[in-house]
Amino acid sequence: MVDLKKFVRDVADYPKPGIIFRDITPLLADANALEAATDALAELFEGEDIDVIAAAEARGFIFAAPLALRLGVGFVPIRKPGKLPYDSHTHSYDLEYGSDELHLHVDAVEKGQRVLLVDDLLATGGTMEACCRLLEKTGAEVVGCAFLIHLVELGGERRLEPHRCRSVLNYGG
Amino acid sequence: MVDLKKFVRDVADYPKPGIIFRDITPLLADANALEAATDALAELFEGEDIDVIAAAEARGFIFAAPLALRLGVGFVPIRKPGKLPYDSHTHSYDLEYGSDELHLHVDAVEKGQRVLLVDDLLATGGTMEACCRLLEKTGAEVVGCAFLIHLVELGGERRLEPHRCRSVLNYGG
């Protein structure tokens, strides 16, 4: 059994003083840790019916595509403005300073499809909440949100209710 | 055998008039096409010694992470400014209008490691050339560049010489 936390590097004061950044690049660079993390993510919602995996760029793509292949389902990318060429749903959301926007092709998922959302990290949940809103516009059903890392004290899980959040590694809380 | 080109959607006049955008989102959304594309990418440099897969955000991550898992090697993300928390190599490159910059953690790969670069699409080759330059700064060896799609007429392959480019789907040329 791989101790995945050993492969997460704590970088102090990034992106600003007082913040500890949980850097997963050492985990990604280690073949065994990468595989163990992917296995663990796949187990979070094991046994549930899932038709599609979706994730927001960019780090979300790293685990979402392997999960889609492992589950034998398709992968749907959720993107920043100016990246998707076809008609898209859009959702704006507030950041600490300013706002951001995510896009999803209108034909990316079908009504009633069961979608598992994936990201590397759950902090305040703003990005994942935007992903949920986008998928709700399509009539798809969000099965849940799977994360490699959950920063428990930031309250993201409550923000994403009633959607279920599950994570491989918990920090704080 | 899956005809992958059937899953690539041509979007006219995106991102600007006269350009045909090759949209891979229908391919990603289809489980069989996604698996066939990943298989085909894995075969491009089959039999060669590869220690690491590297890719630039964001679409590069979609195929690079599954390839790393399939080959049993690590994955190294190459990122836009402000995304990597640790000491990084940087490389600036010119775009049609303005310039862009890519970053790579200084400890991402070791000297002498054999790295396969992956991206979804080779156009003029600017992004991939920047990736090669970054990896050369680490002392790693670029085994080659693997693409799902190659827009042959844009000359990207020549720009990337002497590195080898191989692609699954060719358009034009």
Side-chain angles (χ1 to χ4, degrees), chain B residues 90-119:
Chain B
T90 67
H91 184 78
S92 297
Y93 58 107
D94 292 331
L95 298 173
E96 193 174 3
Y97 303 102
S99 66
D100 213 338
E101 191 174 277
L102 286 175
H103 292 206
L104 171 70
H105 273 160
V106 295
D107 63 347
V109 293
E110 292 167 25
K111 189 175 175 180
Q113 279 195 309
R114 294 172 56 82
V115 183
L116 178 65
L117 280 157
V118 176
D119 207 352

Side-chain angles (χ1 to χ4, degrees), chain A residues 9 14 25 28 75 82 105 107, chain B residues 9 14 25 28 75 82 107:
Chain A
R9 171 166 51 192
Y14 188 91
T25 61
L28 300 174
F75 165 62
H105 273 161
D107 63 347
Chain B
R9 170 166 51 192
Y14 188 92
T25 63
L28 300 174
F75 165 62
D107 63 347

Side-chain angles (χ1 to χ4, degrees), chain B residues 23-83:
Chain B
D23 175 20
I24 63 167
T25 63
L27 184 154
L28 300 174
D30 184 275
N32 290 330
L34 177 61
E35 181 155 23
T38 308
D39 289 344
L41 274 163
E43 287 167 10
L44 292 176
F45 288 87
E46 202 168 26
E48 310 227 11
D49 285 337
I50 294 165
D51 299 315
V52 180
I53 300 281
E57 69 173 288
R59 286 191 314 232
F61 292 1
I62 297 172
F63 290 107
L67 281 190
L69 285 159
R70 192 161 298 203
L71 299 178
V73 302
F75 165 62
V76 166
I78 296 171
R79 303 226 46 190
K80 298 279 177 67
K83 300 292 184 182

Side-chain angles (χ1 to χ4, degrees), chain A residues 5-38:
Chain A
K5 278 194 177 178
K6 281 190 181 167
F7 293 91
V8 177
R9 171 166 51 192
D10 292 347
V11 180
D13 301 321
Y14 188 91
K16 59 184 186 181
I19 304 289
I20 298 173
F21 189 93
R22 309 294 181 176
D23 175 20
I24 64 166
T25 61
L27 184 154
L28 300 174
D30 185 276
N32 291 329
L34 178 61
E35 180 155 24
T38 308

Side-chain angles (χ1 to χ4, degrees), chain A residues 57 79-85 88 90 101-103, chain B residues 14-15 21 59:
Chain A
E57 67 173 287
R79 305 227 43 190
K80 300 279 178 65
K83 299 293 183 181
L84 289 176
S88 297
T90 67
E101 192 175 277
L102 287 175
H103 292 206
Chain B
Y14 188 92
F21 189 92
R59 286 191 314 232

Side-chain angles (χ1 to χ4, degrees), chain A residues 118-136:
Chain A
V118 176
D119 207 351
D120 67 325
L121 186 136
L122 173 58
T124 61
T127 301
M128 189 54 91
E129 186 186 25
C131 292
C132 291
R133 293 293 96 77
L134 280 171
L135 284 165
E136 288 159 4

